[in-house]
Amino acid sequence: MLTTLLVLTGCRRNQAEGDETVAALYRQGRAYHEKGEVPQALECYRRAAEQADTTWDCPVLCDVFAGKRSKDCDWAMLARCYYQMSSLFSDQNAPRQMLSYLQKAEHCAWLAADTLMAIDIFSLRAAAYELMNRQDSVLIINEKAIALLHRFGMDAEAAIVEGYRFATLVELKRFDEASAPMQVYEHESGLFHNGDIEAGREIYYYSKGLYFIGIGRADSAEYYFRKELRLTDDDNNRLAAVRGLSLAFQAQGRADSTAKYAMESYELNDSLTNLTNTESLMQAHAMYDYDRMLRDSERKALQVEVSWLIICLLLMSLAGAVVLIVFGYRRYSDYRERLLIRNAGDRLKLLTESDLVRSFAEMAIGKRGSRLPEQAEWDRLEAMVAEQLPPFYAAIASDGLLSPQELRTTLLTLLGFTSSDVAVLLDISAQSATNTKARANGKLTGQKNAGTFCANLLRLLRKCDLAR
């Protein structure tokens, strides 16, 4: 959750500075790679890939593997970084990791609109399958790469891949199919000059020698093995040539030469194996240290993220508790207010239903000049209001704020008597009753208006009960 929030709210990096950082990390990774320092090279490539992959900084998130394209993302640099990482895993004889990064590199190359790079990287999947000893898959990759290159008009590049296809067919002993790609490779790839392949590709002569052994021409095979041995200084190529000569002499029935080159092949292979084992041991130790460093780094990063997550959860819990407390207090306040209003209303209802108030109502029905309430009855009415509604009565009767007529008018209005009723009970005119209401309203609430007097008295009653 926290990670998602950070991603969604992340800021865009400075593009110019980012490009410089990516290039520097990539060059540093290449330097480590050339020196054989695999862990350091991997770390540089990984950091360069993170810098080049700006998709997570874009307003619209872009997933490399969903096929979406971001103009801000350096797909070409990403492709190169992933390719170099695949190359490191190839050196470590880790074909599955190699294949994984080749697939990423190819995808990024397509998004970078670099067709040749994408197809070249695709064709390198064959090397990963070769490490897995899956020659049929190697052949399929070669054929698909050739078809793609022809589709985009890259015939010379397709002819180069025909050379790899030729070597695979020879290894599968499908010699009848191998002749055609061999001819295309030698005549259309542009890699041959005066009949010799360009330097660094002499391993081709080993495949060609095996081809001639396969079709029963051991003399021609011996020629190409000797040619490879003469032209190369690479120990692996020398081993292949010596091994090929042993096979060629075996096919010719020359036992002495076969034994000689078999022994030389054994010695070269033993030397190379020891060297390879030593390098592999050193690289494995370095990779172990690198993996342990990564695990420690990931564990620390996870601890930091978990800590932030715990802090966020605690803050959210605290905020939730505060909300609940505030909400509960408001609910309690509303309930208490309703309860107080109901209690005040109940007490007011008891007053209006009392015998004394009913007798006042009966006297109010009569006309002026009829029997009026006596002083004792007025005193009883005030006492009843003071007993049932003490805060309210204290507010209207304290300090002589209201005159006796205004106080009686206030009590009668609270108990539901109209201005006409008040006029009859006080033996005054209706206009005088209205004026008295207005004066009392002004003194109690500041509103010199008879029309709002009853509503204001009910508000005052509520306010007085809440203050208890």
Side-chain angles (χ1 to χ4, degrees):
M1 180 183 67
L2 179 61
T3 303
T4 305
L5 289 173
L6 290 174
V7 168
L8 291 175
T9 58
C11 298
R12 192 187 297 261
R13 297 185 186 94
N14 183 286
Q15 190 65 35
E17 294 180 359
D19 290 345
E20 293 176 2
T21 303
V22 170
L25 287 169
Y26 180 78
R27 288 194 297 270
Q28 188 176 8
R30 292 285 295 139
Y32 281 128
H33 194 166
E34 291 173 1
K35 290 190 294 183
E37 298 179 4
V38 177
Q40 294 88 337
L42 267 177
E43 178 64 14
C44 288
Y45 291 142
R46 183 187 64 80
R47 290 171 57 196
E50 288 179 353
Q51 292 287 330
D53 186 0
T54 59
T55 54
W56 294 110
D57 297 317
C58 300
V60 178
L61 299 182
C62 174
D63 186 355
V64 174
F65 304 105
K68 299 177 183 177
R69 184 174 181 176
S70 167
K71 63 181 181 181
D72 294 330
C73 186
D74 192 345
W75 295 112
M77 178 58 75
L78 262 180
R80 287 193 287 272
C81 289
Y82 287 137
Y83 164 71
Q84 293 296 339
M85 294 170 84
S86 74
S87 177
L88 286 171
F89 284 112
S90 173
D91 296 340
Q92 297 295 308
N93 289 321
R96 297 191 184 281
Q97 292 91 330
M98 175 188 176
L99 188 60
S100 172
Y101 281 103
L102 282 175
Q103 290 170 339
K104 294 179 183 180
E106 180 199 345
H107 196 93
C108 292
W110 284 117
L111 291 175
D114 193 331
T115 303
L116 180 57
M117 181 193 292
I119 299 175
D120 280 346
I121 293 172
F122 171 77
S123 67
L124 289 174
R125 292 191 194 184
Y129 287 122
E130 190 167 357
L131 288 174
M132 299 180 197
N133 200 29
R134 295 170 56 182
Q135 297 304 320
D136 290 337
S137 297
V138 172
L139 188 60
I140 291 171
I141 294 296
N142 288 336
E143 291 173 348
K144 287 185 177 180
I146 291 168
L148 283 171
L149 288 166
H150 280 308
R151 182 191 305 173
F152 288 98
M154 303 176 189
D155 296 332
E157 289 79 4
I160 293 175
V161 181
E162 289 282 10
Y164 300 117
R165 177 169 171 250
F166 163 72
T168 304
L169 288 169
V170 169
E171 191 166 351
L172 291 171
K173 302 185 183 305
R174 293 163 60 173
F175 302 112
D176 54 334
E177 301 175 44
S179 177
M182 179 181 68
Q183 296 299 324
V184 173
Y185 183 58
E186 292 185 357
H187 295 94
E188 299 179 21
S189 66
L191 301 179
F192 290 81
H193 307 284
N194 298 322
D196 293 333
I197 197 168
E198 66 179 27
R201 297 178 180 269
E202 293 85 0
I203 193 65
Y204 167 71
Y205 294 130
Y206 175 71
S207 296
K208 192 167 183 180
L210 292 180
Y211 167 74
F212 279 116
I213 289 177
I215 62 174
R217 293 174 57 185
D219 293 342
S220 297
E222 179 186 351
Y223 169 79
Y224 285 107
F225 291 138
R226 289 189 181 279
K227 187 173 185 178
E228 180 184 11
L229 189 61
R230 185 180 73 253
L231 294 177
T232 186
D233 293 327
D234 181 77
D235 288 338
N236 287 296
N237 281 344
R238 289 179 60 81
L239 174 61
V242 170
R243 184 178 295 164
L245 285 170
S246 175
L247 293 173
F249 290 132
Q250 183 180 7
Q252 294 173 14
R254 296 164 59 181
D256 292 343
S257 297
T258 300
K260 172 187 174 182
Y261 283 102
M263 179 58 68
E264 189 174 343
S265 171
Y266 172 79
E267 291 174 352
L268 274 172
N269 184 66
D270 189 55
S271 175
L272 282 174
T273 300
N274 290 336
L275 179 62
T276 301
N277 288 342
T278 301
E279 292 177 348
S280 297
L281 183 62
M282 294 175 62
Q283 290 181 351
H285 181 71
M287 286 298 292
Y288 172 78
D289 291 341
Y290 174 70
D291 289 341
R292 184 174 60 183
M293 180 193 71
L294 281 183
R295 288 195 298 271
D296 291 342
S297 176
E298 290 173 357
R299 184 171 63 252
K300 290 177 181 178
L302 181 60
Q303 288 174 349
V304 171
E305 187 169 342
V306 169
S307 298
W308 276 109
L309 182 59
I310 291 173
I311 291 172
C312 288
L313 290 175
L314 288 175
L315 290 175
M316 291 173 62
S317 300
L318 180 60
V322 170
V323 170
L324 288 175
I325 291 171
V326 172
F327 179 73
Y329 177 76
R330 288 182 177 176
R331 288 286 301 271
Y332 169 74
S333 298
D334 292 343
Y335 170 75
R336 181 172 176 270
E337 184 177 345
R338 288 195 300 271
L339 183 62
L340 290 173
I341 293 171
R342 186 182 66 187
N343 291 341
D346 291 343
R347 292 194 296 273
L348 183 60
K349 185 177 179 182
L350 288 174
L351 286 172
T352 58
E353 292 177 352
S354 66
D355 293 337
L356 180 61
V357 173
R358 286 179 178 173
S359 67
F360 270 74
E362 291 174 356
M363 286 184 278
I365 295 174
K367 298 180 180 179
R368 289 183 61 189
S370 302
R371 188 180 88 81
L372 298 177
E374 298 178 356
Q375 182 63 38
E377 291 174 313
W378 285 113
D379 293 341
R380 283 177 57 200
L381 182 63
E382 285 189 41
M384 287 177 61
V385 173
E387 179 183 357
Q388 294 296 328
L389 307 171
F392 174 78
Y393 182 77
I396 64 174
S398 62
D399 302 328
L401 178 63
L402 301 177
S403 67
Q405 180 171 302
E406 292 169 347
L407 179 58
R408 291 177 179 179
T409 300
T410 298
L411 295 176
L412 292 172
T413 302
L414 178 67
L415 294 170
F417 289 91
T418 65
S419 295
S420 299
D421 296 335
V422 172
V424 171
L425 294 171
L426 293 178
D427 195 24
I428 58 177
S429 67
Q431 185 59 47
S432 295
T434 300
N435 293 339
T436 302
K437 277 186 172 184
R439 287 196 304 273
N441 194 16
K443 291 179 180 181
L444 294 173
T445 66
Q447 296 182 11
K448 296 182 179 181
N449 184 345
T452 61
F453 190 37
C454 183
N456 286 341
L457 288 178
L458 292 175
R459 291 194 190 97
L460 180 59
L461 174 63
R462 175 184 176 186
K463 179 179 178 182
C464 290
D465 265 6
L466 288 174
R468 292 178 66 181

